[in-house]
Amino acid sequence: MRSWGAGVLALCAALALAGCGGTSPKDPKPAAHTSTGASTPPASLADVAMPRPGKLKPPILSADILVQSQDPLPPSLVAQAKGIKSVVAVDQFSLASFYSEEDEVTYAAVDPSAFRYFAAPATAQTAEVWNRIADGEIAITPELKAELPITHESVTMGNDDDAETVHIGAFAPLVLRSKISAIVNERWADKLHMVKNNALIVSTGEKSPLTAQKNLRKAVGNRGSVTLLALHFDINAPQTAILTGGSVARAVGSFTYTANADGTVNPDKSWVRAFIRTETVPIIGRVTCNKAMIPQLRAALNEVVARGLASKIHKNEYGGCYVPRYIAKDPAQGLSFHTFGTAIDLNVPGNQRGTVGTMDRTVVKIFEKWGFNWGGNWHYTDPMHFELARIVAVR
């Protein structure tokens, strides 16, 4: 049986943590173990543990292009990517997102022995990070440490009530300039209901990635997105959103989308046709939401009316449901959960972020009964916000 170190490993690197003492990517220096709570990970990790990677054999690779699809990438496409003249190396893995409170977290399920070569140099050279990933823990970027609700050194992989909880093994910079902010090993893919092998990371070494990106876009076509991992955000590049977490995530579907300069996004029309509906509900009237949410929203509002609380929800202060955009309209912050049409904002003026808010607590309990989480319970509150957390049968 493996021996678990006490606490979470924190990797101190100049690119990741300010004030860590001038560590450079070529001179990795793991910090002392630090504990944020219990030091014993869940016993269930034995089910997802895999062999630890062996010794790192240089060179470490640059991560230049990210390919992602809603479906597994076929072997023929992977072979085609390997055959591009400027491509030095590729690695296929699984990529998806979950929401923690209102933050989108994009995570990868990988073979640690292969994927580590594409990580930030300091992280790639720190064996303990990859050992812990192989053992079944999760590594997350240091920036997420302050943003995620962490309980007993663990993070819940989604807002759904039935989402899996994974023990944190390390805080470390992962893939530079990419949206990947968490990594688990590939044996988690089934438990997390990920689409397997739907992503590819590509290194072009010292050669420009632009030619490879162009060739990959031709090869991928409309089957997915091809993103240059550069310091700028390519607003014209199609992106892919694959949500995981639990039963709600599986009900709302996945899609590709394009971005607009104003921070809004355009999910593909076929997904919108399949999942987004405009219907009439009590109190508010016409709403546009994901079809998975509307029955529970209607049931919650019917109960609010039946219990004489309709005046506690102000129709003219409704803030929307399906609103496809980035959080704060900033691509760096990821997609808003409203993009999936499974969140709703009520009584907006009196319930701003970071406040206790004025939302009636009996109304909150009614919504929770009907499968919603309330943003007023978050560590950084958002009391106007309700989002679907579990599927409830409505009769």
Side-chain angles (χ1 to χ4, degrees):
M1 180 177 290
R2 293 185 174 93
S3 173
W4 296 93
V8 175
L9 176 71
L11 179 64
C12 181
L15 289 173
L17 297 176
C20 283
T23 311
S24 74
K26 295 182 180 180
D27 181 23
K29 189 177 296 182
H33 289 170
T34 58
S35 179
T36 58
S39 60
T40 304
S44 61
L45 292 189
D47 297 335
V48 292
M50 60 185 294
R52 290 181 167 186
K55 185 178 179 181
L56 183 73
K57 298 179 181 179
I60 296 170
L61 301 164
S62 59
D64 299 305
I65 300 171
L66 179 65
V67 180
Q68 185 183 8
S69 173
Q70 297 179 59
D71 304 303
L73 295 174
S76 58
L77 190 147
V78 178
Q80 195 170 349
K82 291 179 179 178
I84 295 174
K85 189 174 181 180
S86 58
V87 169
V88 173
V90 304
D91 186 45
Q92 190 173 16
F93 60 101
S94 305
L95 189 65
S97 297
F98 66 89
Y99 278 79
S100 179
E101 298 188 345
E102 207 169 16
D103 294 320
E104 182 188 19
V105 179
T106 298
Y107 72 102
V110 308
D111 175 357
S113 64
F115 193 85
R116 69 184 295 188
Y117 286 88
F118 296 85
T123 304
Q125 297 176 69
T126 304
E128 184 65 8
V129 172
W130 303 98
N131 288 343
R132 285 175 173 250
I133 292 172
D135 289 346
E137 295 182 279
I138 187 171
I140 67 176
T141 58
E143 293 82 2
L144 281 184
K145 185 175 182 180
E147 298 176 11
L148 295 180
I150 296 172
T151 305
H152 303 303
E153 293 189 348
S154 299
V155 61
T156 302
M157 305 286 282
N159 285 347
D160 299 19
D161 286 355
D162 56 347
E164 293 280 349
T165 297
V166 184
H167 191 262
I168 300 171
F171 297 105
L174 300 175
V175 181
L176 299 180
R177 301 185 298 278
S178 83
K179 61 183 180 179
I180 299 171
S181 52
I183 293 177
V184 294
N185 76 46
E186 62 189 6
R187 293 198 61 187
W188 271 105
D190 285 330
K191 293 189 74 171
L192 296 172
H193 304 285
M194 301 177 77
V195 177
K196 285 187 174 181
N197 295 319
N198 68 322
L200 198 68
I201 197 160
V202 178
S203 174
T204 59
E206 296 181 358
K207 298 177 182 178
S208 169
L210 294 176
T211 299
Q213 180 193 29
K214 182 178 179 181
N215 290 336
L216 282 166
R217 281 182 173 169
K218 289 180 180 178
V220 172
N222 60 4
R223 291 179 292 180
S225 57
V226 180
T227 306
L228 189 67
L229 300 183
L231 295 176
H232 69 282
F233 178 74
D234 185 355
I235 197 170
N236 297 312
Q239 307 293 314
T240 302
I242 298 181
L243 188 62
T244 63
S247 57
V248 171
R250 294 191 292 277
V252 304
S254 299
F255 52 85
T256 58
Y257 64 95
T258 56
N260 302 313
D262 64 356
T264 60
V265 301
N266 313 301
D268 70 73
K269 293 180 180 179
S270 61
W271 177 84
V272 174
R273 287 193 298 268
F275 288 93
I276 301 301
R277 301 285 184 272
T278 299
E279 297 188 15
T280 300
V281 298
I283 306 175
I284 301 170
R286 300 282 281 178
V287 297
T288 300
C289 303
N290 195 295
K291 66 180 183 180
M293 185 174 114
I294 289 177
Q296 290 170 230
L297 174 62
R298 183 178 287 117
L301 292 171
N302 275 329
E303 183 168 341
V304 169
V305 172
R307 295 179 64 175
L309 297 170
S311 64
K312 301 297 183 181
I313 296 177
H314 310 145
K315 178 180 179 179
N316 62 341
E317 295 179 354
Y318 166 58
C321 179
Y322 172 62
V323 186
R325 58 175 173 79
Y326 292 109
I327 297 170
K329 296 190 175 180
D330 178 4
Q333 297 191 43
L335 287 179
S336 165
F337 205 53
H338 284 277
T339 304
F340 294 88
T342 48
I344 190 167
D345 291 340
L346 302 174
N347 297 5
V348 172
N351 292 280
Q352 296 298 303
R353 292 218 70 175
T355 69
V356 173
T358 60
M359 194 68 66
D360 183 88
R361 296 314 191 255
T362 303
V363 170
V364 169
K365 289 180 180 178
I366 291 171
F367 269 78
E368 290 175 337
K369 169 188 171 182
W370 287 104
F372 290 84
N373 278 344
W374 179 48
N377 290 327
W378 295 349
H379 72 294
Y380 181 51
T381 59
D382 191 5
M384 72 177 71
H385 184 92
F386 293 86
E387 62 184 37
L388 197 62
R390 68 184 187 278
I391 301 297
V392 174
V394 178
R395 294 181 176 84

